[in-house]
Amino acid sequence: MTNLQIIALMDCDSFFVSCEQLDNPSLLGKAVCVLGNNDGCIISRSKEAKEMGVRMGMPHFMAKKEFPNAIYISGRYQRYVELSKRTIGLLSTFSPTIEQYSIDEAFIDFTGLRRLYRRSYIEIAKMIREEIKTKIGIPVSIGISTTKTLAKLASHKAKQSSGTYIIGYRSIKKELQNTKLSEIWGIGHNTNALMEKFGIKTAYEFTSQNDEWLKAKLGIRGLQTKEELLGNSIFKINNISTLPKSIQNTRSFANFTTDKEYIKNSIIYHINHSCERLRELGLKAGGIKIILRSKDFKYFCEKQLLPSPSSWDSDLINVALTLFEKIYQKNTIYRSSGVVVENLIRTQDIQLSLFENIEKENKKDKLCQSIDKLTKRYKKNIVKIGYSQSPKNN
């Protein structure tokens, strides 16, 4: 494997649950489930909850009925983002090339690290795991191979063993023979069902197919997956973070409502959190869209460009409340509200026009930074612009 690219995939173990156990050690060793989608379903499970039989995506009301002894916790996304950033930041001290794949996964370029650290790749992976566990407190698994697809498979096997696993170039054939095609990254349910119709059930059987036949059935992506499984890297590690196209915050109300002030307050609440996220990412929004959904699921929305890109709450609130007045209907019963900030641009890429007050913009940015520092220090809602508390109706 010395002349090949070496790729590792770090995957946090039951990440959301691990974050909750870090903040509350009394949860360790217990059947813990983290809830998402307004506490509608389960999005993370501890090992004990999995062994109990709790299923991923299971509706909360069903899980409570079937597994009353499990512990159910409302998800805290901002906290998970914070710990994710710290974990990725620590990874970057080991390798200059990191690609964050999701909130709890990242690809790491291991090529050349063996010579740098004078350790085997497995020893380097163990060192990284110990460092993350010691400095951050989150358990992770690390899989290593010559391609992203094989590294993803190796990380899956790492979770089932000691936390680290390597698929060497010489062991690829044996690994693929013992791996169901459905376990391969990028092979969805429909693709797997199609391959099964032709008697292809293992990853090895997939790689044994003729290139022309695979391309005819699955297109270029099928050929790329075959090459990746054979150990030939097609999907390179992208060290450049891509900008999100938009940031959306939505929430269903605790009870259906016609209360105009309550609904308006919920819009402001969403803007506060959207702006906090914009500043965290070093972005500003060029446009905003507000969304209302009625009790009978009718959808109302209105959007508008901002006079200039901004991450300052008041700038977005002023526009949003004007839009709100356009779509709010007095006698309609509403079930949810939402805000989408769009046309995002990096703060450093913005060029102020001759008509803008640079000193005023700088003061806004400094005030935002102060508010965000207070929020991080004293947790959320210590200082918010334009509303007094998280909207709650009875």
Side-chain angles (χ1 to χ4, degrees), residues 256-257 293-298 300 332-336:
F256 301 145
T257 184
R293 284 190 175 88
S294 66
K295 179 183 177 182
D296 54 357
F297 293 97
K298 287 182 181 177
F300 308 90
T332 299
I333 302 173
Y334 293 97
R335 66 166 53 242
S336 69

Side-chain angles (χ1 to χ4, degrees), residues 17 27 36 55 65 69 104 110 116 121 138 142 172 215 225 247 252 261 302 323 356-357 369 387:
V17 167
L27 296 174
R55 301 178 296 282
K65 187 175 181 180
N69 295 326
D104 59 348
F110 264 34
L116 175 65
Y121 292 122
I138 298 295
I142 299 178
I172 290 176
K215 187 175 181 181
T225 299
I247 293 173
S252 297
E261 288 306 310
E302 191 75 37
L323 298 176
E356 288 178 309
N357 188 324
Q369 289 171 12
Y387 86 103

Side-chain angles (χ1 to χ4, degrees), residues 337-356:
S337 68
V339 167
V340 182
V341 291
E342 306 174 309
N343 304 334
L344 307 187
I345 184 172
R346 294 183 195 276
T347 301
Q348 64 264 33
D349 293 339
I350 295 174
Q351 298 204 3
L352 294 174
S353 75
L354 293 173
F355 302 101
E356 288 178 309

Side-chain angles (χ1 to χ4, degrees), residues 247 249 264-279 288-290 311-321 338-341 384-385 387:
I247 293 173
N249 276 284
K264 187 187 295 186
N265 192 49
S266 74
I267 294 290
I268 296 171
Y269 176 80
H270 293 318
I271 290 174
N272 289 143
H273 283 271
S274 297
C275 287
E276 186 179 317
R277 183 70 177 136
L278 283 171
R279 296 190 292 267
I288 185 170
K289 176 168 71 175
I290 67 168
S311 60
W312 173 239
D313 305 53
S314 293
D315 291 342
L316 278 72
I317 289 170
N318 291 337
V319 175
L321 294 185
V339 167
V340 182
V341 291
K384 290 293 179 189
I385 300 166
Y387 86 103

Side-chain angles (χ1 to χ4, degrees), residues 37 76 90 247 335 347 393:
N37 192 23
R76 299 180 297 152
L90 186 55
I247 293 173
R335 66 166 53 242
T347 301
N393 64 336

Side-chain angles (χ1 to χ4, degrees), residues 18-180:
S18 294
C19 293
E20 296 297 338
Q21 290 173 329
L22 175 65
D23 291 346
N24 183 3
S26 68
L27 296 174
L28 289 167
K30 296 180 180 178
V32 179
C33 302
V34 171
L35 304 169
N37 192 23
N38 297 317
D39 290 353
C41 62
I42 292 165
I43 58 173
S44 184
R45 304 159 296 161
S46 68
K47 180 183 70 174
E48 294 76 13
K50 293 175 186 176
E51 291 172 350
M52 186 182 283
V54 181
R55 301 178 296 282
M56 183 68 99
M58 193 175 189
H60 181 203
F61 76 92
M62 288 177 59
K64 279 180 68 176
K65 187 175 181 180
E66 194 172 341
F67 306 101
N69 295 326
I71 300 169
Y72 301 95
I73 299 173
S74 298
R76 299 180 297 152
Y77 190 72
Q78 290 303 316
R79 176 57 171 158
Y80 308 151
V81 168
E82 176 191 341
L83 288 169
S84 172
K85 287 175 66 177
R86 288 176 56 193
T87 303
I88 300 302
L90 186 55
L91 280 182
S92 65
T93 65
F94 290 95
S95 172
T97 308
I98 305 290
E99 178 188 342
Q100 185 166 2
Y101 176 63
S102 67
I103 192 171
D104 59 348
E105 294 176 282
F107 289 104
I108 316 161
D109 191 349
F110 264 34
T111 310
L113 295 190
R114 189 167 58 179
R115 181 177 298 177
L116 175 65
Y117 291 106
R118 297 185 179 182
R119 303 184 185 199
S120 69
Y121 292 122
I122 280 289
E123 288 172 335
I124 294 169
K126 288 179 179 177
M127 177 176 66
I128 293 173
R129 287 187 74 234
E130 290 169 7
E131 193 84 352
I132 293 173
K133 183 63 176 173
T134 300
K135 293 189 175 179
I136 298 175
I138 298 295
V140 305
S141 299
I142 299 178
I144 310 162
S145 196
T146 60
T147 71
K148 280 185 171 182
T149 304
L150 288 173
K152 183 83 171 171
L153 176 61
S155 75
H156 176 68
K157 292 180 179 290
K159 287 182 180 295
Q160 300 170 337
S161 56
S162 60
T164 57
Y165 197 89
I166 188 166
I167 298 178
Y169 200 75
R170 293 187 180 89
S171 64
I172 290 176
K173 180 178 178 180
K174 183 179 178 181
E175 293 284 358
L176 298 185
Q177 287 174 333
N178 296 321
T179 301
K180 294 178 181 177

